[in-house]
Amino acid sequence: MQHNPLSTETQKMFSPVVASSVSPALGSAIHVHKDHAFKVEVSVAVQPWLALIVERAEVWTNAAIKVPSEESTSDAKNTINDPVDEKDLNVGVKPVENSFGENTSDWIAIPLPLVSNDKKNLLASGIADKQFVVLSFSGDLLALKNGEFTVRLVVANGAAGGISFSNYHWLGTYGQNATIIVDTPSKSRLSTEKWYSQFLELDEFGKSSTFVPVRSEKIPPSEHAKEGAEIATGFLKWPKNLQSSSACCFPGLNLLNPSSELPYPTFSLLSVSRHIVIERSQTWWVEPRTGKDKMLKTPYDIEMILWEQDNGSYAVIIALPPTAMRYNDESHISLKWDPKNVVQNDEYTLYIAASSGEAGSDVYSLLSIAMIDVQQFVRSLQQTKPEPVVLLPDIPGAVPNQMWDHFGWCTWDAFYQTVTEEKIMTELQEFIDDKVPVEFLLIDDGWQDYNEKNQLVSIKMNTTKFPNSFEVVKSIKKKGVKYVGVWHTLIGYWNGIAPDGQIAKDYKLTEVTKRDGNKMLLVDSSDINRFYHDFETTLRSHGVDFVKVDHQVLLTCFRKYFAQPDLQGFFDDIIPEDSDRLWESYQNALIQNAALHGPTIWCMAESPNVFFSTMIDKLQSKRNTSAGKWQHALRTSDDFYPNRIYSHTWHIYVNAVATIFSALILGPHQHPSSPIYSPAKSPILIDWDMFHSFHQFAPLHAAARVVSGGSIYVSDKPNQHDPVLLKSLIVGALPSESAGGARSLRCQSPGFPTRDCLFSNHTKDARLLKVANRTAENNVAVLGLFNCRLGQGVTDGPILDTISVADVDGLVTKKGEFAAFFFNRNETMRLGYNDRVLVYMEPGKAEIVTFSPLAEVEGVPIKVGSFGLAEKINA
């Protein structure tokens, strides 16, 4: 193999390929029929002077492939080069043993002809101003057996401008080959009694499980699921006191006795072609991990695994509390038992749902139905539980549901714990001077009466920082702010209650032990409801409308058994013996007092115990009289960190994928593929956190917040605003100038990654992260595009990818022509529903594309599409 002698930076500068797009995408799995050809399309953006010496594009594959033409079908050798020696393969090709055990060094090259690219250049966004030449290659191939393929661009030997370069360029990175799977017609077996055995291989313990089927049914045909597609679901259950009579099974970890070798049920996934895992990388946040057939072992709890099988079937497994999943190695997963049994389930419980691949299946239909089953199961466990504690006298005030439709400002990243009354009023006046209508305001950490040990002294404000105490709320509202909220932790403040403060005098306290051995005082479970009631009554009586409750997982963690030293200390949780007796009472107090009387932001709360016990059971229960009054919000990722340059694209990627798990599990009707889709009924708002408008990545975050479906709020510092960007997110005027006020231009339902990018790691793969949403009328598509490859070393770089109207689910109109508007480029074009558009994007950049159906105007030979106000991102 030839090596380019130039430095990495020089190689990037003079690389023949600036960006590329391959369809089917490298790193994906393509399912083809043995007797039907499939098309490979390659588009490359190259420097103009290099375009003159590009000779061809080649598909390199170890699958049995021929070109289906009259000249080649009789003799495949006419179109296939001789096998290439393995030592000549670039790192873009990673030979592996295929399913037929054939010689994997027999990789063959198939030329792809250059095709006319005029149309693609016309539809390309982000190409012209870069002075790139876009070359497109396309060819039909016929696969006879399974295998892999990658693509390379071949250029003429020589040098240009005194610079020597390689005569070929591989598209993709090491191990990023596409997998070709030749489907053979077969009858679905999802109707068999143990259909789950096609997806999971169980160990000795696993085989002793009881399977409880839930459903086996056809799903309605759609553009994503063909006629006859099936879905089957059910629960695998094991008794809690399971014992083993054999030492041959793969040992799991005994939570109650870490030194014991008592195994837990263990299983492995079958026929995995690609997967995505939702795992808790921290005790309070989840993040995705993607891969192909092997999983990367980590020390984290697994919340959900979604995978595609070699035959195109999808399957998803979810562990339900008190069951959790852990990696044993790259193939085996064990179940573990969480001693805090918050849902009162006395069995290991693993939910599994699968769809048939032979008839064509839809991954989002599968996920939506799975979440319906999970919610129903959790609620069934709660039916025998006693009613909640009787409410104390009602708390005055109730905030209308439309609060999240307004634009907001939070004090956290502006001032952190140094927040003061003076700083808030000064900053608010700056927004007014810039004519930016802030209509909800959150006073974050720093306002409370706490001591130097971060212990809460009283339920009053810190009068040193806020000399007028709660009168600041009235002062804020006089500036036109409609809703004011404040922050606190689940236990009051980070390190509990001060032993010599007013709270210690007024309420019964209990001493708990932290993981580090230190002691901490908390309000006792017998008095926490009264404390929360008094706290919330005080807040509401002074005009506070909502609260953000942080550090929610404090009473649900078990790092005693899975130590994470890097996270211990300030955020350390308390030992299970203490948390067990406090969890239920604290969550009931939160629901009955804070959440019952206004919107609540759940933060540091991505824990199964919070999801299943608090949000599904208590928050959405028929016993909860607040259900339907307003939306609460759930933060879906770690914080926005202004000064961590490489955190921003990761932040967008994690939020997009976490939405799949969080939004669906809290409201299965939220995705258009759900059989009961109804966004207006969603009780939970997805919150992607605040951001800075005057920041290098402000346009990236602004686009993300618009398409997320969550609230839009910033945390700008004094004299650091971008009024133009802020006004593009808002429609309306300051309250002093308009009786109608203003509203933020957010989508009204959660945004989800499109199907074609669901299994990609967008911080590394050369694929745009595409987040799809719709307008409230479901007739205009909104597509957020993000290049998240930033800070990943060799994988940094621009992306050339394709988009389509068809990427967006739930549109009323799917026929005829559409008009597309690219906001950042101020560019429009017309295209059909299934037309693919080439988009070029630099790292850390974003774009919002709006697709509007074109309508004929009677008596006039023109068609009209409406995008709203051109200067607004999503109007």
Side-chain angles (χ1 to χ4, degrees):
M1 129 185 206
Q2 298 183 24
H3 296 276
N4 194 326
L6 303 180
S7 68
T8 301
E9 290 303 315
T10 305
Q11 288 183 49
K12 287 183 178 181
M13 184 182 304
F14 293 100
S15 170
V17 177
V18 177
S20 63
S21 171
V22 178
S23 178
L26 299 179
S28 68
I30 172 176
H31 296 270
V32 299
H33 294 288
K34 190 172 184 179
D35 299 325
H36 295 82
F38 68 97
K39 184 180 292 294
V40 175
E41 295 181 296
V42 177
S43 294
V44 291
V46 300
Q47 302 288 351
W49 62 276
L50 285 169
L52 300 175
I53 55 175
V54 172
E55 293 185 344
R56 63 185 181 278
E58 293 179 340
V59 169
W60 281 55
T61 180
N62 62 354
I65 286 183
K66 62 181 181 180
V67 177
S69 62
E70 293 182 0
E71 295 79 11
S72 62
T73 50
S74 60
D75 183 6
K77 292 183 180 179
N78 290 338
T79 55
I80 299 178
N81 293 350
D82 293 332
V84 179
D85 192 274
E86 185 174 355
K87 64 182 176 62
D88 291 330
L89 297 179
N90 185 273
V91 292
V93 177
K94 181 184 179 183
V96 294
E97 183 175 348
N98 63 29
S99 58
F100 297 94
E102 296 174 343
N103 183 356
T104 56
S105 65
D106 291 337
W107 288 73
I108 55 179
I110 305 175
L112 291 178
L114 180 67
V115 297
S116 171
N117 58 352
D118 291 342
K119 182 179 180 182
K120 289 200 171 184
N121 273 332
L122 289 173
L123 292 179
S125 173
I127 299 293
D129 61 339
K130 292 294 181 181
Q131 300 300 313
F132 297 152
V133 175
V134 178
L135 304 176
S136 296
F137 307 85
S138 177
D140 292 327
L141 304 178
L142 193 66
L144 305 179
K145 292 183 179 180
N146 293 5
E148 295 182 285
F149 80 83
T150 186
V151 178
R152 76 175 188 178
L153 190 69
V154 181
V155 299
N157 289 317
I163 301 296
S164 299
F165 49 87
S166 173
N167 67 331
Y168 54 82
H169 182 93
W170 294 93
L171 309 185
T173 57
Y174 180 80
Q176 200 188 18
N177 299 336
T179 302
I180 300 173
I181 301 168
V182 181
D183 293 336
T184 55
S186 60
K187 188 176 181 180
S188 171
R189 294 180 292 159
L190 291 184
S191 58
T192 60
E193 183 178 357
K194 293 187 176 182
W195 58 263
Y196 58 88
S197 62
Q198 304 168 53
F199 300 89
L200 298 178
E201 182 178 6
L202 305 173
D203 74 344
E204 178 193 2
F205 276 5
K207 292 176 182 177
S208 65
S209 65
T210 300
F211 182 67
V212 181
V214 176
R215 67 177 81 214
S216 178
E217 59 190 45
K218 296 281 196 301
I219 59 175
S222 67
E223 60 186 303
H224 303 292
K226 299 178 183 177
E227 187 76 37
E230 294 179 288
I231 284 181
T233 70
F235 295 93
L236 285 164
K237 297 186 175 183
W238 295 263
K240 174 184 175 182
N241 59 351
L242 191 62
Q243 299 291 328
S244 173
S245 60
S246 169
C248 65
C249 57
F250 203 98
L253 178 61
N254 185 347
L255 263 180
L256 300 179
N257 183 5
S259 62
S260 169
E261 292 187 0
L262 173 65
Y264 282 93
T266 301
F267 59 89
S268 57
L269 311 182
L270 296 177
S271 302
V272 180
S273 64
R274 52 182 179 165
H275 70 274
I276 183 169
V277 176
I278 304 295
E279 59 186 27
R280 271 205 292 167
S281 57
Q282 300 180 56
T283 51
W284 42 79
W285 301 124
V286 299
E287 65 181 46
R289 193 173 301 277
T290 61
K292 298 182 77 173
D293 56 333
K294 301 294 184 182
M295 287 185 291
L296 178 65
K297 180 183 178 181
T298 70
Y300 308 128
D301 281 354
I302 303 169
E303 307 298 340
M304 181 182 83
I305 305 176
L306 172 69
W307 74 99
E308 183 182 28
Q309 284 196 313
D310 292 342
N311 65 359
S313 299
Y314 292 106
V316 61
I317 52 176
I318 302 170
L320 301 181
T323 310
M325 294 184 283
R326 277 279 173 127
Y327 299 100
N328 278 333
D329 56 28
E330 63 181 12
S331 300
H332 297 86
I333 298 168
S334 281
L335 302 181
K336 67 184 183 72
W337 184 266
D338 186 339
K340 182 182 299 304
N341 193 351
V342 298
V343 296
Q344 297 186 0
N345 180 18
D346 294 327
E347 298 174 296
Y348 289 101
T349 306
L350 185 69
Y351 175 82
I352 179 170
S355 62
S356 59
E358 294 83 358
S361 56
D362 175 28
V363 63
Y364 274 124
S365 291
L366 175 70
L367 287 172
S368 295
I369 289 175
M371 300 312 179
I372 294 171
D373 290 348
V374 167
Q375 284 207 11
Q376 291 175 344
F377 174 78
V378 172
R379 291 196 177 105
S380 72
L381 295 174
Q382 310 299 324
Q383 290 177 357
T384 58
K385 293 182 66 175
E387 290 296 310
V389 179
V390 176
L391 295 176
L392 293 172
D394 197 16
I395 298 173
V399 179
N401 198 26
Q402 68 266 26
M403 187 190 84
W404 304 119
D405 289 336
H406 296 280
F407 174 73
W409 176 66
C410 175
T411 64
W412 178 242
D413 284 312
F415 307 118
Y416 300 113
Q417 290 177 309
T418 67
V419 61
T420 66
E421 178 177 352
E422 181 181 5
K423 290 179 179 179
I424 290 176
M425 300 309 297
T426 300
E427 181 69 359
L428 189 54
Q429 186 60 47
E430 287 186 13
F431 281 108
I432 295 173
D433 294 342
D434 287 334
K435 298 189 180 300
V436 176
V438 172
E439 294 187 291
F440 80 81
L441 189 151
L442 173 60
I443 306 176
D444 213 290
D445 188 2
W447 68 270
Q448 291 170 281
D449 181 16
Y450 58 91
N451 62 21
E452 69 280 356
K453 295 181 179 180
N454 287 315
Q455 297 168 326
L456 193 61
V457 176
S458 73
I459 58 177
K460 299 178 181 179
M461 294 196 89
N462 184 322
T463 53
T464 300
K465 298 179 179 180
F466 295 84
N468 296 309
S469 189
F470 282 108
E471 288 298 307
V472 68
V473 177
K474 293 181 181 178
S475 299
I476 291 171
K477 290 189 175 183
K478 287 180 180 178
K479 294 288 188 179
V481 176
K482 295 181 178 180
Y483 312 105
V484 177
V486 296
W487 170 101
H488 62 81
T489 72
L490 181 65
I491 61 173
Y493 205 64
W494 294 112
N495 281 335
I497 307 302
D500 56 351
Q502 189 63 43
I503 294 175
K505 297 176 183 179
D506 295 341
Y507 304 92
K508 181 180 179 180
L509 302 186
T510 185
E511 186 179 76
V512 299
T513 304
K514 297 179 67 175
R515 301 285 191 216
D516 57 10
N518 292 324
K519 305 295 183 179
M520 181 168 62
L521 288 175
L522 301 180
V523 177
D524 189 74
S525 59
S526 63
D527 219 9
I528 188 60
N529 199 49
R530 186 170 69 92
F531 168 77
Y532 255 90
H533 178 270
D534 294 347
F535 191 16
E536 293 300 325
T537 298
T538 299
L539 297 178
R540 306 293 171 174
S541 66
H542 290 290
V544 174
D545 302 294
F546 67 100
V547 291
K548 173 183 176 181
V549 184
D550 217 335
H551 208 190
Q552 293 254 8
V553 298
L554 176 71
L555 303 179
T556 71
C557 304
F558 289 89
R559 288 206 302 274
K560 177 179 180 181
Y561 306 110
F562 297 103
Q564 293 175 273
D566 58 315
L567 297 178
Q568 292 182 359
F570 186 68
F571 292 115
D572 215 356
D573 49 36
I574 62 179
I575 63 174
E577 290 80 0
D578 289 330
S579 65
D580 285 348
R581 59 191 172 88
L582 298 174
W583 159 260
E584 189 78 12
S585 58
Y586 268 72
Q587 289 296 320
N588 279 335
L590 173 63
I591 293 292
Q592 294 162 11
N593 295 287
L596 186 63
H597 296 91
T600 300
I601 302 175
W602 261 260
C603 190
M604 296 175 69
E606 287 191 299
S607 157
N609 290 330
V610 175
F611 279 177
F612 293 114
S613 177
T614 301
M615 291 194 163
I616 291 180
D617 173 38
K618 296 179 177 65
L619 193 60
Q620 302 183 45
S621 170
K622 293 180 180 179
R623 295 170 284 152
N624 178 13
T625 57
S626 75
K629 284 187 178 180
W630 42 71
Q631 284 182 314
H632 303 287
L634 172 70
R635 279 275 307 278
T636 49
S637 80
D638 202 349
D639 292 3
F640 163 80
Y641 293 109
N643 300 322
R644 299 182 187 179
I645 187 171
Y646 298 128
S647 71
H648 298 280
T649 51
W650 175 252
H651 182 92
I652 305 303
Y653 170 55
V654 170
N655 270 295
V657 180
T659 297
I660 299 170
F661 180 66
S662 302
L664 288 176
I665 209 165
L666 299 174
H669 48 273
Q670 292 185 332
H671 193 275
S673 289
S674 170
I676 56 170
Y677 173 61
S678 179
K681 296 180 181 179
S682 170
I684 305 296
L685 185 85
I686 297 302
D687 181 359
W688 287 23
D689 202 15
M690 65 200 87
F691 67 99
H692 282 170
S693 72
F694 190 78
H695 191 276
Q696 175 184 356
F697 296 105
L700 178 83
H701 286 284
R705 301 313 186 274
V706 163
V707 78
S708 74
S711 55
I712 301 177
Y713 60 115
V714 297
S715 190
D716 286 355
K717 294 182 177 182
N719 300 311
Q720 294 186 25
H721 306 290
D722 185 341
V724 175
L725 176 68
L726 292 175
K727 290 176 183 178
S728 72
L729 298 167
I730 308 167
V731 63
L734 294 170
S736 60
E737 300 177 355
S738 171
R743 62 178 297 268
S744 65
L745 295 171
R746 69 180 185 91
C747 294
Q748 295 295 307
S749 57
F752 291 92
T754 59
R755 289 168 174 78
D756 61 334
C757 67
L758 185 58
F759 291 93
S760 296
N761 180 346
H762 291 281
T763 64
K764 296 182 179 180
D765 297 345
R767 306 287 309 279
L768 289 177
L769 171 63
K770 296 184 280 186
V771 180
N773 217 317
R774 300 148 306 283
T775 61
E777 296 77 19
N778 289 334
N779 202 35
V780 175
V782 181
L783 193 62
L785 309 177
F786 308 91
N787 183 343
C788 295
R789 296 203 307 167
L790 183 71
Q792 299 297 324
V794 295
T795 61
D796 284 4
I799 293 176
L800 189 66
D801 206 347
T802 61
I803 65 171
S804 171
V805 185
D807 289 334
V808 184
D809 285 300
L811 295 181
V812 175
T813 302
K814 298 182 180 180
K815 298 181 180 180
E817 285 189 303
F818 285 76
F821 175 61
F822 292 75
F823 175 78
N824 288 326
R825 291 185 53 78
N826 193 29
E827 179 180 291
T828 60
M829 61 186 66
R830 59 193 296 173
L831 69 165
Y833 180 74
N834 290 304
D835 285 349
R836 306 302 300 179
V837 179
L838 267 178
V839 176
Y840 171 90
M841 191 171 292
E842 294 284 349
K845 300 300 182 181
E847 180 64 276
I848 291 291
V849 187
T850 304
F851 298 106
S852 175
L854 288 174
E856 294 184 355
V857 179
E858 186 176 356
V860 182
I862 61 172
K863 293 183 178 180
V864 177
S866 176
F867 301 116
L869 301 174
E871 71 275 11
K872 307 295 182 181
I873 294 182
N874 180 36

